[in-house]
Amino acid sequence: MEKDALQYLVELNKEYEVVDGRVFIDPDLREVRKETAAPFGISTLSGLVNYIQSEFDGDDTVMVQVVSPKKVRVLGQMNANKERDKFVNVEAIVPEFDYGRFHDMEDFNIKLQSLFLPGLDRDVILQVVGNVKEEDVRSYGDNGVSQSVVASTGIANVENILVPNPVKLAPYRTFTEVEQPESLFVFRMQDGPRAALFEADGGAWKNQAIKAIETFLKDKLSTDIENGRVHVIA
């Protein structure tokens, strides 16, 4: 407890008792609690690095915690009340895709191109959903794992296209400053025509993303980490 706070209690003729750095006021033994900082929000890892390096709110020792692929927060050390300052919440702006739900071909095509990074399996799926026609829907084969459909492959040409399963794709799911993790998905089609993606990696991509964020922050904040001012945990 700061000296000016204790002086303020003296001026008010308040009796107080200090126990392990905590101040209590008689007669009710009401504790004088030190206020903690409320967090403000930003949306990029670069903004977080700039904030810490600017020492805008001082040079206190802080802990940077990678909470999830889309969230990081900055915390202060515990005070006498076993509470922490919460300086910053960083939440990534990530586009949403409805996994496990069937989409019509046009919607699926657009989202596959705009919400996923280019890749071999993505290109195969785009070839299917971009060319399959409604009258061809019943002309696909299904062995329980992979599906094949009759789709146009050029001017006046059609052929059976085998869709691999599972497929490896890299959606935008974490901060753009780090590499988007690839993971496995099950691709399925049904009459309509409609298509869907089902996540098939048990959430392992989340650990990859968290590790990538930790590596990025440790690299950008290496000087502050070396001098003990910043601690990064994930």
Side-chain angles (χ1 to χ4, degrees), residues 20-132:
D20 294 330
R22 300 165 65 182
V23 178
F24 295 87
I25 303 176
D26 288 334
D28 302 321
L29 287 182
R30 290 176 293 119
E31 184 176 0
V32 180
R33 304 184 70 85
K34 184 178 179 180
E35 292 185 1
T36 56
F40 69 93
I42 55 180
S43 58
T44 67
L45 297 178
S46 299
L48 170 60
V49 171
N50 292 338
Y51 167 74
I52 291 176
Q53 293 179 338
S54 73
E55 298 185 2
F56 182 81
D57 289 321
D59 60 354
D60 293 345
T61 299
V62 297
M63 177 173 62
V64 180
Q65 180 190 17
V66 184
V67 180
S68 72
K70 297 190 288 187
K71 184 174 182 179
V72 179
R73 59 181 183 173
V74 179
L75 305 170
Q77 293 180 302
M78 279 189 181
N79 60 26
N81 298 316
K82 306 301 182 183
E83 297 174 337
R84 299 180 186 275
D85 288 315
K86 301 175 180 64
F87 294 111
V88 182
N89 283 335
V90 192
E91 298 202 29
I93 300 174
V94 178
E96 297 293 333
F97 180 85
D98 291 329
Y99 299 104
R101 185 177 75 83
F102 282 89
H103 304 253
D104 65 58
M105 292 294 95
E106 184 70 12
D107 180 55
F108 191 85
N109 187 315
I110 292 172
K111 289 185 176 179
L112 200 61
Q113 293 188 66
S114 60
L115 306 184
F116 294 74
L117 291 173
L120 180 61
D121 286 352
R122 192 198 74 158
D123 293 343
V124 173
I125 296 175
L126 281 173
Q127 185 180 9
V128 173
V129 301
N131 293 287
V132 67

Side-chain angles (χ1 to χ4, degrees), residues 160-211:
N160 276 320
I161 298 176
L162 182 66
V163 181
N165 256 320
V167 291
K168 185 174 288 187
L169 301 170
Y172 291 102
R173 291 181 287 186
T174 186
F175 294 92
T176 57
E177 291 97 334
V178 301
E179 184 176 356
Q180 303 299 310
E182 285 188 328
S183 59
L184 297 177
F185 296 86
V186 173
F187 172 66
R188 303 294 293 173
M189 296 187 67
Q190 62 179 205
D191 292 348
R194 297 187 297 168
L197 289 172
F198 299 83
E199 295 182 271
D201 77 334
W205 71 270
K206 296 179 181 179
N207 292 329
Q208 297 176 37
I210 288 172
K211 186 64 178 177

